[in-house]
Amino acid sequence: MEAAAMNWTVAVPEIALALCAMAILIFGVLRRQDATFLCTMLSLGALLLTGVLVIGGQTGAGFGGQFTADAFSAFVKLLILSGSAFALLLSLDYNEREGLARFEYPVLVLLATTGMMVMASATNLMTLYLGLELQSLALYVLAAFARDTLRSSEAGLKYFVLGALASGLLLYGISLAYGFSGTMDFAQIARILASPAHASAGLVVGLVFILAGLAFKVSAVPFHMWTPDVYEGAPTPVTALFGTAPKVAAMALILRVMIGPFGHLLPHWQLLIVLVSIASMLLGSLAAIGQNNIKRLMAYSSIGHMGYALIGLAAGTHAGVRGVLVYLVVYVFMNLGTFACIIAMRRQGRQVENISDLAGLARTDPGLALAMAAFMFSMAGIPPLSGFFGKLYVFLAAVQAGLWTLAVIGVLTSVVGAYYYLRVVKIMYFDEAQPAFDKRGASLSFVAASTGLFTLLFFIFPAPFVGAAEAAARVLFG
Amino acid sequence: MIVAIAFYAFALILLASAAMVVTARNPVHSVLFLILAFFNAAALFLIAGAEFLAMILVIVYVGAVAVLFLFVVMMLDVNFAELRSGYQRYMPVGAAIGGVLAIELLLVVTGWQVAPEALHLSLGAAPAAATNTAALAEVIYTKYVFLFQAAGLVLLVAMIGAIVLTLRDRKTSRHQVIRVQTERSAAATLEMVEAGIGAGIGTLGIYRPLPATADLEPADNDPHADDPHADPVDAAHGGGAHGGSGHHAPEAR
């Protein structure tokens, strides 16, 4: 391969993050005791360093087109990095109290993040698969990290088995796409598909399988069944991670694959995305109503949110992609904040997870109740909180693309969804007070406060985010 | 001619040993037949000119996978007889499904038309200039170096995961401390005893080993330890087990 096409410097952030992860791993192994806190801090430093490298990084295609760094990947990577960093912060206090403080935890988070960043930059089906597997494998282990509790082991095993199935579907799709197009490169697939004659049935079937594999990762509806159990069983900071960074990475991958190589097949996949989106929104809003466990509630809520985000993709337009990206930003921060509040739910040294445990929180801990209320209102999409703007952009894109049904169903399901979000607020503010929670760690307060401020004040400064999303979306249609 | 003979010989042994894998009564024999099958498959690869695949098959499948199977078979208490118990009962159904599949395959294969240009593609030899190991290395470490390294990271995650989920540091497990072992001097464990000329072992009695170090082996609560006049026969028989009692004087007189 000629040196010019290698251009390995585009992957410097990923390389740096992987090297940092390995260095921290060796440090943790040699240090043996009490390395967890230090390793977590070093990992946060590594994420920060990677973020700086992403911002200042080179753009362009590297490794003969297998890997591309552009505005889209930079946007997604920064979001992934901040999601991982906050999730790591959330784990500090929790892992200490639950006896899970082991230095492998931050290392696995870093390696998972590396995988997600590779996913964000993948412009080849092989890179896509390897990034996805790197991410997933680390997440399977993290789900089972509390290996002495039955539910965590169950969550890990369930996620692993179903994830392996999804990987199989994805690989089958990739093999079909490769077989019928003769290339794994996104740009070349796009070039081949530019003439409608080449859009053979095999390629379309391959596309459907690839979409199925990726939909599993974002837990969109026909492939959502793992979500509630895994969310409930995994240690809560891991659930916070599941709900944010991997969803962003997988959604970014769906955007890139659908708009990039398979963009010319829009008429073929649009209906599919519309159906998946509607089903996700319906299930997310209806199934969550009966939940008593707040982590399960968040699982159904994330299914619903992915449905809303997919509306933007269904539109298949520049505005739609921009809407999805804005939605992801808003979603990540309000989700992290909610999980900070959930991790703070700890009574007499034990984690409590029932919604009824929140009763009367407004009297025992007004600050936490206020933050939680803000996140719930935001998730319900009530203006002027950030969740409203996320929904606004995707609904606008759907309406502009003429997808009226989708937009109307979206609005209706978000009204239904508002019921269970507001029920949490009602329990916190109007129910008989339960005993106060244990004193929470400073890291939880920090995460809840910063994401809460973001959620509250997003309406003042949406411009930089929308602008960046606009630039990122333009890359895909460029 | 010789190649053809070798091919049929290896193929025949491969099929026979594969059949033995599933029919052998003893699971250890099954694994050994599996290893034989792997070796013959590797030989077939060699005949086809794929020496890299042949070596990988031997190293990975025989060296790692088959040995792992052996470990599993020998260490886990799996009742293989029970696993086979339904054989007679499910045989007809299995045979019927197999038969249907065979007929379908036959239909597909007979109706299959191979594209004329694909025929010589499939026989396309590896580039003569390089062995296929070198040819593989050339693309893996240049064109696909990113993917190769990413795959390495996936394996690293798998290793970390296996350790995280299974390695347990138990309080009761005994670790070998090499430093303590090598620093032990003879004086700490042996005692020189003057034995008079002509005096047999009977006059000296039985000597017990010295306690290695006091902190490694705390005094046990041996009922005989407190009683120097214990039954001599009992003390002599139990001598080895009561190393920590501190009595290394002759006891059995």
Side-chain angles (χ1 to χ4, degrees):
Chain A
M1 203 68 202
E2 55 275 34
M6 277 300 280
N7 199 12
W8 63 274
T9 44
V10 293
V12 162
E14 285 75 12
I15 295 171
L17 190 59
L19 289 179
C20 284
M22 287 184 255
I24 293 168
L25 176 66
I26 290 175
F27 174 78
V29 170
L30 294 182
R31 171 111 177 173
R32 293 208 180 153
Q33 269 118 34
D34 315 326
T36 313
F37 182 77
L38 213 53
C39 283
T40 310
M41 285 300 145
L42 285 173
S43 304
L44 286 173
L47 290 172
L48 199 67
L49 170 78
T50 315
V52 172
L53 288 175
V54 169
I55 292 172
Q58 211 184 340
T59 56
F63 300 101
Q66 292 159 12
F67 186 94
T68 302
D70 49 27
F72 178 77
S73 73
F75 183 91
V76 174
K77 280 177 194 174
L78 287 178
L79 194 54
I80 290 169
L81 285 169
S82 40
S84 292
F86 275 115
L88 212 49
L89 262 181
L90 289 181
S91 75
L92 259 182
D93 188 51
Y94 180 91
N95 284 2
E96 194 64 51
R97 295 195 194 191
E98 294 282 315
L100 298 177
R102 306 174 66 194
F103 72 89
E104 289 96 341
Y105 184 90
V107 173
L108 283 170
V109 172
L110 285 194
L111 286 169
T113 311
T114 313
M116 295 173 213
M117 290 174 65
V118 172
M119 286 162 74
S121 271
T123 43
N124 185 301
L125 291 173
M126 285 187 285
T127 322
L128 176 160
Y129 180 70
L130 278 173
L132 197 72
E133 278 306 290
L134 180 56
Q135 176 229 224
S136 311
L137 203 57
L139 293 184
Y140 302 148
V141 179
L142 284 175
F145 204 79
R147 59 188 187 181
D148 292 322
T149 57
L150 192 64
R151 283 195 314 169
S152 174
S153 306
E154 182 198 335
L157 193 63
K158 219 172 237 179
Y159 193 24
F160 175 67
V161 172
L162 292 174
L165 184 71
S167 288
L169 291 180
L170 182 73
L171 269 184
Y172 185 50
I174 289 176
S175 73
L176 281 176
Y178 178 53
F180 281 90
S181 69
T183 175
M184 297 241 194
D185 190 64
F186 283 7
Q188 287 191 39
I189 293 178
R191 207 170 308 133
I192 287 166
L193 286 176
S195 66
H198 287 132
S200 56
L203 211 48
V204 175
V205 173
L207 166 68
V208 171
F209 274 104
I210 291 175
L211 189 61
L214 294 178
F216 175 88
K217 300 292 170 191
V218 295
S219 60
V221 148
F223 311 99
H224 66 283
M225 48 301 189
W226 59 277
T227 320
D229 292 341
V230 173
Y231 268 48
E232 188 190 357
T236 317
V238 177
T239 313
L241 180 67
F242 281 173
T244 53
K247 293 271 156 59
V248 174
M251 190 57 90
L253 205 49
I254 293 184
L255 287 180
R256 204 193 269 279
V257 171
M258 292 300 137
I259 306 290
F262 298 110
H264 296 289
L265 294 182
L266 177 69
H268 288 87
W269 56 253
Q270 190 172 32
L271 182 65
L272 214 59
I273 298 282
V274 168
L275 289 178
V276 167
S277 169
I278 290 176
S280 301
M281 290 188 294
L282 282 177
L283 187 107
S285 55
L286 295 178
I289 291 175
Q291 301 302 323
N292 291 321
N293 184 304
I294 187 115
K295 279 162 88 179
R296 285 187 89 84
L297 179 89
M298 290 305 292
Y300 285 108
S301 151
S302 84
I303 294 173
H305 281 300
M306 286 302 121
Y308 294 120
L310 283 173
I311 293 179
L313 175 61
T317 58
H318 173 248
V321 173
R322 184 190 65 181
V324 177
L325 291 176
V326 173
Y327 198 94
L328 287 177
V329 173
V330 164
Y331 166 76
V332 161
F333 287 105
M334 65 190 180
N335 219 30
L336 283 169
T338 313
F339 274 102
C341 297
I342 292 175
I343 293 174
M345 290 167 63
R346 180 172 272 285
R347 203 167 269 150
Q348 280 141 25
R350 285 187 61 237
Q351 190 76 31
V352 288
E353 291 172 357
N354 282 334
I355 297 174
S356 55
D357 289 317
L358 282 167
L361 189 66
R363 279 181 288 288
T364 55
D365 192 344
L368 191 67
L370 185 67
M372 189 75 169
F375 295 127
M376 289 297 128
F377 278 122
S378 176
M379 293 230 177
I382 291 167
L385 295 163
S386 64
F388 167 73
F389 290 95
K391 289 201 170 80
L392 179 70
Y393 282 109
V394 286
F395 288 153
L396 266 183
V399 169
Q400 280 165 3
L403 297 170
W404 280 97
T405 342
L406 194 56
V408 168
I409 292 178
V411 172
L412 288 180
T413 54
S414 64
V415 170
V416 177
Y419 163 72
Y420 61 82
Y421 293 126
L422 296 185
R423 187 164 71 102
V424 174
V425 176
K426 175 240 165 201
I427 287 172
M428 285 194 301
Y429 277 86
F430 301 112
D431 278 12
E432 199 66 39
Q434 294 257 9
F437 290 139
D438 294 355
K439 195 167 155 37
R440 59 180 179 275
S443 55
L444 294 185
S445 303
F446 170 74
V447 174
S450 50
T451 53
L453 281 180
F454 178 87
T455 306
L456 279 175
L457 302 179
F458 182 79
F459 73 97
I460 300 177
F461 54 91
F465 295 98
V466 177
E470 173 94 33
R474 208 175 300 127
V475 171
L476 291 190
F477 289 93
Chain B
M1 178 63 193
I2 290 175
V3 171
I5 291 173
F7 173 80
Y8 284 112
F10 285 129
L12 211 65
I13 300 175
L14 173 60
L15 289 178
S17 52
M20 288 304 287
V21 172
V22 283
T23 52
R25 287 218 166 274
N26 187 334
V28 177
H29 292 175
S30 286
V31 178
L32 293 177
F33 275 114
L34 190 65
I35 293 176
L36 185 62
F38 285 146
F39 267 111
N40 283 286
L44 290 184
F45 274 131
L46 269 184
I47 291 175
E51 75 273 1
F52 183 75
L53 273 183
M55 293 308 134
I56 286 294
L57 194 72
V58 172
I59 293 170
V60 174
Y61 282 88
V62 178
V65 176
V67 172
L68 185 74
F69 282 175
L70 265 185
F71 266 111
V72 171
V73 165
M74 290 178 160
M75 295 182 77
L76 295 187
D77 188 22
V78 182
N79 190 348
F80 287 92
E82 199 174 300
L83 285 181
R84 285 164 188 278
S85 59
Y87 186 72
Q88 294 282 336
R89 199 146 44 91
Y90 298 124
M91 180 65 188
V93 182
I97 292 174
V100 171
L101 272 180
I103 292 169
E104 283 179 350
L105 271 177
L106 213 64
L107 290 177
V108 169
V109 171
T110 48
W112 187 280
Q113 285 208 334
V114 181
E117 62 267 29
L119 271 177
H120 54 89
L121 266 184
S122 69
L123 296 175
T131 63
N132 53 44
T133 312
L136 264 176
E138 227 154 65
V139 287
I140 282 183
Y141 289 102
T142 54
K143 197 174 169 191
Y144 297 113
V145 63
F146 181 78
L147 302 176
F148 190 55
Q149 297 300 323
L153 274 185
V154 173
L155 291 182
L156 176 69
V157 169
M159 195 176 83
I160 298 174
I163 293 173
V164 164
L165 294 182
T166 57
L167 183 70
R168 281 167 199 274
D169 224 8
R170 279 188 303 170
K171 290 277 185 295
T172 54
S173 60
R174 296 177 174 213
H175 294 283
Q176 186 181 23
V177 186
I178 303 216
R179 185 182 58 79
V180 172
Q181 286 182 349
T182 52
E183 280 180 357
R184 241 166 97 130
S185 64
T189 49
L190 293 177
E191 188 182 6
M192 292 304 286
V193 177
E194 289 288 333
I197 295 164
I201 188 89
T203 62
L204 294 172
I206 290 174
Y207 282 81
R208 292 174 171 177
L210 283 169
T213 43
D215 56 335
L216 274 183
E217 201 142 13
D220 54 13
N221 42 7
D222 180 0
H224 300 304
D226 305 323
D227 179 15
H229 307 294
D231 179 14
V233 180
D234 182 37
H237 281 289
H242 300 220
S245 62
H247 291 258
H248 42 270
E251 279 185 12
R253 293 197 183 272

